[in-house]
């Protein structure tokens, strides 16, 4: 490429070469905006345009929790005719779209386009987008297979469930938004999770209402933190700025506020040790504190 091309195109061409040559493979992280700035000595705006160009060309995608990675080069075959459609194929196609593009990108037209059929063909299998999302949520929740024999002890059983749910929300960043706590959905696979949690807590002297509150609280802890996956993916997809790059730009502003003396207690805590805004750490910290509290509750009931 001629040296007269803008820097962002030259850099995009080099990363494209790494991808097409196999140096960077499907799912590998590509240089972040911070690394592009460091390697090529360009400004943040130029680094942002590099990733935006690669996304536009379909070479990279924003993956929640991982940053920007090399996109898949293979596509699953669409049904050749509308007669080959089924409810399962429609739901699986919708999940693939939501996983890759987010729940906001999901529409009946978008799913039909991905399957290579007319939009009206979908309505023979699902009546509306709302029904489709419920079917997607139930299918995703069904990916978790609890062991026939649970581990020993209520705490180990709840940890197994919570960590399986956390991994599930990571695979499907849209799922947390699709589920409701205040308006429980009649999803068989969601009830499998509820059955596992209530069995773990039952038989220890707790009132039924307490068992239900404990189950809902731990599920909402996992879901509540997982809500950040879709929001972060939307942000990176729209701006091509990773969480690390965003922090690098805004952290100095935060420190200016903290060091001004208005927030002495907060400043004293954060200045004594580094703090990482890591969702996995927040999930595990909250999970253990909840289970510590449940241990006290169960000890009192015994």
């Amino acid at each position: 490429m001629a040296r007269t091309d803008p820097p962002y195109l030259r850099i995009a061409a080099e990363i494209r070469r790494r991808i097409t040559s196999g140096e960077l493979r499907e799912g590998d992280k590509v240089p972040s905006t911070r690394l592009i700035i460091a390697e090529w000595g360009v400004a943040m705006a130029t680094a942002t345009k590099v990733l935006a160009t690669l996304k536009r060309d379909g070479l990279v995608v924003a993956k929640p929790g991982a940053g920007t990675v090399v996109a898949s080069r293979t596509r699953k075959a669409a049904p050749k005719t509308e007669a080959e459609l089924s409810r399962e194929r429609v739901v699986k196609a919708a999940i693939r779209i939501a996983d890759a593009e987010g729940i906001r990108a999901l529409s009946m037209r978008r799913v039909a386009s991905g399957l290579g059929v007319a939009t009206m063909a979908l309505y023979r299998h699902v009546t509306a987008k709302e029904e489709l999302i419920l079917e997607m949520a139930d299918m995703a929740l069904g990916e978790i297979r609890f062991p026939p024999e649970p581990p020993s002890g209520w705490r180990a059983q709840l940890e197994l469930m919570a960590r399986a749910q956390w991994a599930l929300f990571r695979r499907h960043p849209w799922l947390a938004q699709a589920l409701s706590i205040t308006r429980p959905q009649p999803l068989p696979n969601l009830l499998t999770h509820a059955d596992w949690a209530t069995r773990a807590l039952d038989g220890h002297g707790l009132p039924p209402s307490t068992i239900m509150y404990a189950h809902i609280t731990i599920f909402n802890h996992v879901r509540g933190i997982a809500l950040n996956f879709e929001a972060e993916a939307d942000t990176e997809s729209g701006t091509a700025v990773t969480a690390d790059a965003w922090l690098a730009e805004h952290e100095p502003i935060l420190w200016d506020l903290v060091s001004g003396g208005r927030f002495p207690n907060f400043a004293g805590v954060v200045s004594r040790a580094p703090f990482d805004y890591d969702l996995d750490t927040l999930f595990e910290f909250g999970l253990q504190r909840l289970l510590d509290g449940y241990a006290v509750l169960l000890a009192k009931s015994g």
Side-chain angles (χ1 to χ4, degrees):
M1 184 170 290
R3 298 296 297 177
T4 55
D5 287 321
Y8 80 90
L9 287 179
R10 295 201 300 270
I11 299 168
E14 168 57 20
I15 297 176
R16 182 183 292 107
R17 183 198 65 76
R18 296 178 187 179
I19 294 172
T20 56
S21 69
E23 184 179 341
L24 288 173
R25 300 182 180 183
E26 178 182 332
D28 286 350
K29 291 186 68 172
V30 299
S32 64
T33 51
R34 179 181 293 180
L35 289 177
I36 291 172
I37 291 169
E39 183 173 348
W40 281 280
V42 295
M44 172 69 75
T46 299
T48 298
K49 290 177 72 174
V50 170
L51 294 182
T53 299
L54 294 170
K55 286 179 181 178
R56 182 198 63 201
D57 294 343
L59 292 170
V60 302
V61 294
K63 185 176 181 180
T68 304
V69 303
V70 177
S72 171
R73 299 185 188 181
T74 60
R75 294 185 178 180
K76 295 189 177 181
K80 297 178 181 178
T81 68
E82 293 181 4
E84 295 180 35
L85 275 182
S86 66
R87 190 181 185 91
E88 182 180 4
R89 295 195 74 161
V90 171
V91 174
K92 286 183 176 179
I95 289 176
R96 289 196 297 271
I97 291 169
D99 284 349
E101 304 174 25
I103 198 72
R104 293 181 184 178
L106 187 71
S107 67
M108 299 294 274
R109 178 179 297 179
R110 176 68 184 85
V111 175
S113 174
L115 289 169
V117 299
T119 303
M120 291 305 298
L122 300 188
Y123 290 98
R124 301 192 186 102
H125 305 280
V126 290
T127 59
K129 178 181 175 180
E130 292 72 19
E131 179 187 347
L132 177 59
I133 292 175
L134 286 179
E135 290 290 333
M136 292 164 58
D138 195 50
M139 183 176 288
L141 288 162
E143 293 176 13
I144 294 179
R145 294 287 188 268
F146 292 108
E149 292 296 327
S152 177
W154 63 269
R155 184 163 188 145
Q157 293 171 38
L158 292 182
E159 284 182 334
L160 184 152
M161 179 192 71
R163 292 188 180 124
Q165 291 168 349
W166 182 248
L168 182 70
F169 285 129
R170 270 203 172 280
R171 290 196 301 274
H172 304 296
W174 52 270
L175 181 57
Q177 290 189 36
L179 299 174
S180 173
I181 296 299
T182 57
R183 300 183 181 185
Q185 294 112 323
L187 305 178
N189 287 320
L190 183 60
L191 290 176
T192 299
H193 293 237
D195 191 66
W196 179 273
T198 51
R199 180 178 60 177
L201 292 167
D202 201 11
H204 297 279
L206 294 175
S209 60
T210 300
I211 294 174
M212 282 299 298
Y213 287 139
H215 151 57
I216 293 170
T217 297
I218 200 167
F219 178 77
N220 200 45
H221 165 67
V222 184
R223 172 184 172 271
I225 299 182
L227 284 168
N228 292 282
F229 291 144
E230 180 86 341
E232 183 61 26
D234 284 347
T235 300
E236 291 197 3
S237 178
T239 66
V241 176
T242 66
D244 285 344
W246 191 93
L247 281 173
E249 181 180 352
H250 291 83
E251 200 168 31
I253 302 172
L254 174 62
W255 279 112
D256 285 343
L257 287 172
V258 171
S259 60
R262 292 177 58 192
F263 315 103
N265 298 308
F266 180 74
V269 170
V270 298
S271 64
R272 291 198 297 269
F275 177 80
D276 187 9
Y277 294 88
D278 178 69
L279 293 180
D280 290 310
T281 301
L282 289 172
F283 158 72
E284 190 63 34
F285 177 87
L287 173 63
Q288 295 306 321
R289 301 298 78 71
L290 279 175
L291 296 179
D292 289 346
Y294 290 4
V296 174
L297 189 66
L298 289 166
K300 289 182 179 179
S301 68

